[in-house]
Amino acid sequence: MTGTWTTLLHTLKLYSVYLDGFLFCRVRYSQLHRWNEQLRRVFGNSLPPFPPKHYLAMTTSMADERRDQLEQYLQNVTVDPNMLRSDVFVDFLKLVQLDTFSITTKKVSLDIFLPDGRSIKVEALTSDTAERVLEVVSHKVGLCRELLGFFGLFLIQFCKEGKLSVMKKLVDFELPYVSLRSSEVENCGIGLRKWYLDPSLDSRLMDCRVAIDLIYMQAIQDIEKEWAKPTEEQKQKLEALRKEDNQTKFLELSQEVRHYGYVQLDPCTCDYPEPGCGAVISVGNNEISCCVTLPDNQTQDVIFQMNRVKCWQVTFLGSLLDMDGPQQTLNQNLELRFQYGEDSHWQWFVIYTQQAFLLSSCLKKMISDKMVKLAAENPEMQIEVPEQGKSRKYHVQQSQQKACSSFLPRKSKIKIVEVDCGFGTIKEDL
């Protein structure tokens, strides 16, 4: 897609920056250059290299190189959790989000959906980050502040027949009001959900009444929407406990339910055991669970253990440059492919889903949960667990699993986008 942005003096190039598949902002090189200078005054030589200015007209290859360098810069600058929390980092990203979608800073009332489908209203500013809005929500519902890291705000689409689809996890520096307004997703809202995929971590929340209420609501919702799959016997026991309003026992029994605490994606396709098979993907408890529909309409359950996943990448199939009109998301043609090892043999598996970025976030979260659990079990060791821009230090060898990828080529080839941190793609608007 190409577009023109014109000042009274001349036409300037804009770069469209996508975050987890959604348009995050449009910025000029000069804005990014000034931002880099501000960051450098605070963080010095710890910053990644920034593409230099060109004082003469750039050739096409020079412009392509600059775009690739800017993508690399944005990927690398988000690695340092101290930088992510800094005012100079957050304030710039707040400004460009607001400017891109022509939104001014003002007071608004946000509807935040709880796991049981009810909504609460919170007063916020259009310029409030997801981190700030989550704090406001937690204060309103009475959630213990020290448990904030176990919850997150999500962009959720409410579908027919009471179904819902989790579109993405909002990152700390993202502006929920702006993301909701700009998402171009019908029947979309902001929801509060727990954000961990190891069901045993429920035990960390049992001393907070509000936290128990929230994960109890979500457990009921997940069972009703068939994300969690109890047996008939478990259903009866859970229903009895629900009638007794025995939340603690309900949650204890839920631990035994298949796919409890997992995130389920919308129906998609995969290339295993053969290309074009339909699949329902559930992610949690250190596994990727696939219910695959075979060509003869038989179903087959396939489980991939996370400790055998070597790496993964999210790929955009197509060309942004050939599209006309506004392009707010990259979600039309996405795949996530991962390398999986079994019996000393490594093989790539591919899942074609519009929720590829969410799936990638879930894979990273399972690794993060594992590190947190290891740290709790081995307090004398240290592990660095970066999560949502916060630095938690422990001291153990980090997992060798990683999200490996490269950046989008400019033309109509397969386009691979970075998944190891938030920013995915830069596209040039001419």
Side-chain angles (χ1 to χ4, degrees):
M1 180 192 76
T2 60
T4 302
W5 189 91
T6 307
T7 67
L8 294 177
L9 299 176
H10 53 274
T11 299
L12 298 176
K13 288 184 178 179
L14 288 173
Y15 293 96
S16 293
V17 181
Y18 289 82
L19 176 65
D20 291 341
F22 288 79
L23 179 64
F24 180 75
C25 67
R26 293 189 177 97
V27 289
R28 299 188 302 274
Y29 169 85
S30 60
Q31 290 175 286
L32 293 171
H33 186 275
R34 285 195 297 270
W35 182 46
N36 173 68
E37 292 299 311
Q38 293 170 345
L39 288 170
R40 197 165 295 280
R41 284 195 287 270
V42 177
F43 296 100
N45 294 329
S46 63
L47 281 173
F50 189 84
K53 286 184 177 180
H54 294 291
Y55 293 96
L56 299 176
M58 289 192 297
T59 64
T60 300
S61 63
M62 292 168 66
D64 289 346
E65 182 181 19
R66 171 181 280 184
R67 187 185 67 89
D68 292 341
Q69 290 172 340
L70 287 172
E71 286 178 348
Q72 189 72 53
Y73 176 83
L74 285 176
Q75 291 291 355
N76 292 335
V77 82
T78 57
V79 170
D80 185 347
N82 294 318
M83 205 172 298
L84 288 173
R85 292 196 303 270
S86 68
D87 289 341
V88 66
F89 181 93
V90 175
D91 289 348
F92 173 78
L93 295 181
K94 287 166 62 174
L95 177 63
V96 293
Q97 286 177 82
L98 291 168
D99 285 351
T100 295
F101 300 103
S102 302
I103 294 174
T104 59
T105 298
K106 61 182 179 181
K107 289 183 179 180
V108 291
S109 180
L110 280 176
D111 289 318
I112 306 295
F113 290 88
L114 300 178
D116 62 355
R118 292 182 297 120
S119 68
I120 60 172
K121 287 190 179 295
V122 297
E123 300 303 315
L125 296 174
T126 55
S127 57
D128 280 341
T129 62
E131 182 178 36
R132 172 58 183 159
V133 173
L134 181 60
E135 290 173 351
V136 173
V137 172
S138 68
H139 178 74
K140 180 149 189 172
V141 300
L143 178 64
C144 302
R145 186 177 178 85
E146 59 270 21
L147 298 180
L148 271 180
F150 291 95
F151 294 87
L153 296 178
F154 294 80
L155 207 57
I156 296 175
Q157 183 180 26
F158 299 95
C159 310
K160 295 178 181 179
E161 300 175 357
K163 295 182 179 180
L164 62 82
S165 174
V166 178
M167 304 302 296
K168 65 170 292 186
K169 163 83 169 55
L170 298 179
V171 299
D172 278 357
F173 54 78
E174 200 168 350
L175 308 185
Y177 178 84
V178 176
S179 294
L180 183 62
R181 284 278 304 273
S182 64
S183 67
E184 291 191 339
V185 178
E186 292 183 356
N187 302 318
C188 195
I190 298 170
L192 175 69
R193 296 178 63 83
K194 68 180 184 183
W195 183 226
Y196 55 91
L197 293 168
D198 182 345
S200 68
L201 292 178
D202 279 0
S203 60
R204 308 281 184 92
L205 283 65
M206 289 300 151
D207 291 333
C208 176
R209 182 72 258 166
V210 173
I212 293 174
D213 288 343
L214 290 172
I215 62 175
Y216 175 69
M217 291 178 201
Q218 188 165 327
I220 292 173
Q221 184 190 66
D222 287 355
I223 291 170
E224 289 178 345
K225 297 187 182 305
E226 299 181 348
W227 286 20
K229 300 168 178 64
T231 63
E232 285 302 319
E233 183 181 355
Q234 288 172 334
K235 277 184 183 179
Q236 293 175 11
K237 291 181 178 178
L238 289 168
E239 188 59 34
L241 291 170
R242 186 176 175 184
K243 288 178 179 178
E244 295 171 8
D245 199 26
N246 193 333
Q247 296 182 352
T248 303
K249 289 292 185 182
F250 185 98
L251 290 170
E252 287 177 359
L253 179 56
S254 295
Q255 295 279 333
E256 303 172 14
V257 172
R258 182 170 176 251
H259 291 173
Y260 168 71
Y262 288 43
V263 171
Q264 181 172 301
L265 306 186
D266 299 340
C268 58
T269 58
C270 65
D271 71 343
Y272 182 84
E274 55 185 279
C277 289
V280 175
I281 310 295
S282 299
V283 191
N285 203 20
N286 290 313
E287 68 178 30
I288 307 168
S289 176
C290 308
C291 180
V292 179
T293 302
L294 304 173
D296 61 2
N297 289 325
Q298 297 294 313
T299 59
Q300 176 181 340
D301 290 325
V302 183
I303 306 295
F304 299 98
Q305 300 294 335
M306 273 303 293
N307 60 6
R308 294 180 178 177
V309 175
K310 184 178 182 181
C311 57
W312 70 88
Q313 62 191 31
V314 174
T315 306
F316 171 62
L317 304 170
S319 172
L320 285 172
L321 300 180
D322 297 336
M323 296 180 182
D324 295 321
Q327 180 66 21
Q328 304 291 86
T329 76
L330 297 178
N331 292 342
Q332 288 81 359
N333 297 287
L334 290 175
E335 68 174 31
L336 183 141
R337 57 177 61 225
F338 60 94
Q339 193 174 20
Y340 191 76
E342 195 166 17
D343 299 327
S344 301
H345 173 68
W346 293 98
Q347 181 178 349
W348 285 95
F349 295 90
V350 185
I351 298 170
Y352 303 94
T353 171
Q354 294 183 1
Q355 295 164 295
F357 286 101
L358 174 65
L359 176 55
S360 175
S361 295
C362 290
L363 301 186
K364 286 184 284 184
K365 187 60 182 173
M366 285 193 287
I367 295 174
S368 174
D369 287 348
K370 184 178 180 180
M371 297 297 101
V372 170
K373 200 171 181 179
L374 279 174
E377 294 169 354
N378 302 277
E380 73 282 358
M381 300 181 177
Q382 262 197 39
I383 306 177
E384 177 95 10
V385 184
E387 175 59 32
Q388 288 195 11
K390 300 176 178 61
S391 179
R392 303 175 187 172
K393 290 189 177 177
Y394 308 96
H395 221 1
V396 161
Q397 176 82 25
Q398 276 239 29
S399 168
Q400 293 301 309
Q401 294 157 311
K402 62 180 181 178
C404 80
S405 61
S406 57
F407 294 85
L408 286 175
R410 185 169 168 76
K411 300 300 180 184
S412 304
K413 301 175 182 177
I414 287 181
K415 303 190 174 188
I416 301 175
V417 295
E418 177 66 44
V419 297
D420 199 36
C421 53
F423 291 106
T425 309
I426 293 182
K427 178 181 67 66
E428 200 170 33
D429 290 349
L430 302 177

